[in-house]
Amino acid sequence: VGCVSGLVLAPRETLIAWLVCWLAWGAIPIGSLAVLMLVSLIPGKWRHLYGQPLALGASLMPVVAVAMIPLLVGVGILYQWTAPGATAGYAAFKAAWLSSGFFVVRAIVYLGLLNLIAWALLSAEPRLRATIAAGAVIVYGILGSLLAIDFAETSQPDFHSSIYGLFGLTNQWLAGIAFAIIVWLATTDEKPPLAAAGVLVTAILMWSYLHAMQYIVVWSGDIPAEARWYTERHSWAALAWILFGLQGLGSFAALLSPKVRRSRKAMMVMAGLTLGMRLADNAWLVLPGLPHVGLAVAPLIVAASAAMLGLGWIAAASLKRPDRSWGESEWIGKPRST
């Protein structure tokens, strides 16, 4: 109801809110698929924790494709480069890349391939999963990066960073890992193993490192066109403190404590915080670069989050429970010793 009302009264702000939420919550199925491919390739006890929850998350890939439709329909409202003559001063490749028709076609191809990978992996026999994942994880690395570049970085078409695609990948990994921890701990009475905190801390460190490196490179280069990306975010400093304070410093410091790593409630809080920070992360990347966007978009983000998460909840409730073999330590098919 909130999103429909917003489309009538403030269509641009509603689509911007939907974009932020799509990047944040759509990262859960995409990130689940990415980490599930790694689980398929790397045997060990962590499969017991991550296998089934990640399979559930990856099975929601069609929801991401459906939720993308409003963004494709409203691409001309969302992005500055869709205006007539906006790409006239760009190089030929960039001008061709930033065209509405090509953008829509690319987005459909991205989600089509990711859904195909998810279907192939989830429907494959256990012994074939590693073979599928070995090639598909490379394809995912390209597609996950391009999704971030096309939907987020092009909100400021004059800015470019070679790290930006990795921002999208780490955002997806964090979402998938946090989702798996929440689902697993919510459906078992077991204490969280060290694998839960270890994988989450690794992803947080990677995410923090990438943001720090871009900041250092941009400011040391002292190129106005690139430094402007940060100066435009001065008015959003509160969001930056929340994001980097809670996600980069707070979560990492808390996860250093053995009590936190061994506590079900504490790990649920850490995973929930990580998921919530995906919204702040994508708001930080997208909102400051779009003209005339203020805090009025906040209630629309709440409405879009409720709509998107509700759609995902309904889809998850209608799915069959993932195959138990996703939680087994070995899928080689060797006879077990008696």
Side-chain angles (χ1 to χ4, degrees):
V1 172
C3 292
V4 171
S5 301
L7 286 173
V8 174
L9 301 174
R12 179 174 177 269
E13 288 74 12
T14 304
L15 285 173
I16 290 172
W18 192 264
L19 172 63
V20 171
C21 294
W22 184 79
L23 289 169
W25 307 128
I28 293 176
I30 298 174
S32 295
L33 175 61
V35 183
L36 185 64
M37 287 188 282
L38 297 181
V39 169
S40 302
L41 291 168
I42 306 171
K45 293 182 179 180
W46 75 320
R47 285 179 176 169
H48 175 60
L49 166 62
Y50 286 104
Q52 284 187 295
L54 289 173
L56 173 63
S59 66
L60 298 175
M61 278 300 307
V63 178
V64 183
V66 171
M68 181 181 65
I69 294 174
L71 302 177
L72 301 185
V73 174
V75 64
I77 301 175
L78 275 170
Y79 298 105
Q80 308 169 53
W81 46 263
T82 58
T87 60
Y90 294 152
F93 175 81
K94 185 172 182 177
W97 190 266
L98 295 179
S99 61
S100 300
F102 191 25
F103 177 90
V104 172
V105 171
R106 293 198 309 270
I108 293 173
V109 171
Y110 299 159
L111 268 297
L113 289 174
L114 287 173
N115 273 274
L116 181 62
I117 291 171
W119 171 82
L121 189 62
L122 293 172
S123 60
E125 295 182 3
R127 66 180 61 200
L128 297 177
R129 290 169 183 166
T131 304
I132 295 172
V137 73
I138 300 173
V139 178
Y140 155 74
I142 298 172
L143 298 179
S145 300
L146 289 174
L147 279 172
I149 292 169
D150 279 3
F151 282 91
E153 189 179 26
T154 59
S155 62
Q156 291 178 268
D158 294 326
F159 174 78
H160 173 68
S161 169
S162 58
I163 294 178
Y164 206 100
L166 295 175
F167 286 171
L169 295 183
T170 52
N171 173 65
Q172 294 157 14
W173 301 339
L174 283 168
I177 293 167
F179 172 80
I181 291 174
I182 290 174
V183 171
W184 188 80
L185 291 178
T187 55
T188 182
D189 294 330
E190 299 180 37
K191 288 187 176 181
L194 291 176
V199 176
L200 182 58
V201 166
T202 303
I204 290 174
L205 283 175
M206 183 66 176
W207 173 87
S208 303
Y209 169 79
L210 291 172
H211 275 281
M213 284 304 299
Q214 177 177 279
Y215 182 81
I216 293 170
V217 169
V218 166
W219 281 108
S220 63
D222 198 23
I223 301 174
E226 295 182 357
R228 190 183 306 121
W229 195 84
Y230 284 100
T231 59
E232 289 175 344
R233 282 159 173 76
H234 282 174
S235 58
W236 296 80
L239 181 60
W241 280 108
I242 293 172
L243 174 61
F244 298 107
L246 291 178
Q247 181 74 89
L249 298 176
S251 297
F252 176 73
L255 289 169
L256 293 178
S257 169
K259 291 183 178 181
V260 172
R261 297 197 300 269
R262 287 296 190 184
S263 169
R264 286 171 44 82
K265 291 184 179 179
M267 285 303 299
M268 288 278 282
V269 170
M270 290 295 100
L273 176 63
T274 300
L275 277 184
M277 288 299 100
R278 307 284 51 78
L279 204 60
D281 193 2
N282 287 283
W284 163 257
L285 293 176
V286 172
L287 296 182
L290 295 172
H292 312 299
V293 176
L295 294 178
V297 76
L300 291 169
I301 289 177
V302 174
S305 294
M308 211 168 292
L309 292 173
L311 180 63
W313 184 281
I314 293 171
S318 64
L319 294 172
K320 294 192 300 182
R321 189 177 180 86
D323 193 324
R324 287 187 177 182
S325 63
W326 286 107
E328 295 178 358
S329 296
E330 298 291 343
W331 296 332
I332 307 301
K334 296 179 181 178
R336 297 182 180 182
S337 58
T338 56

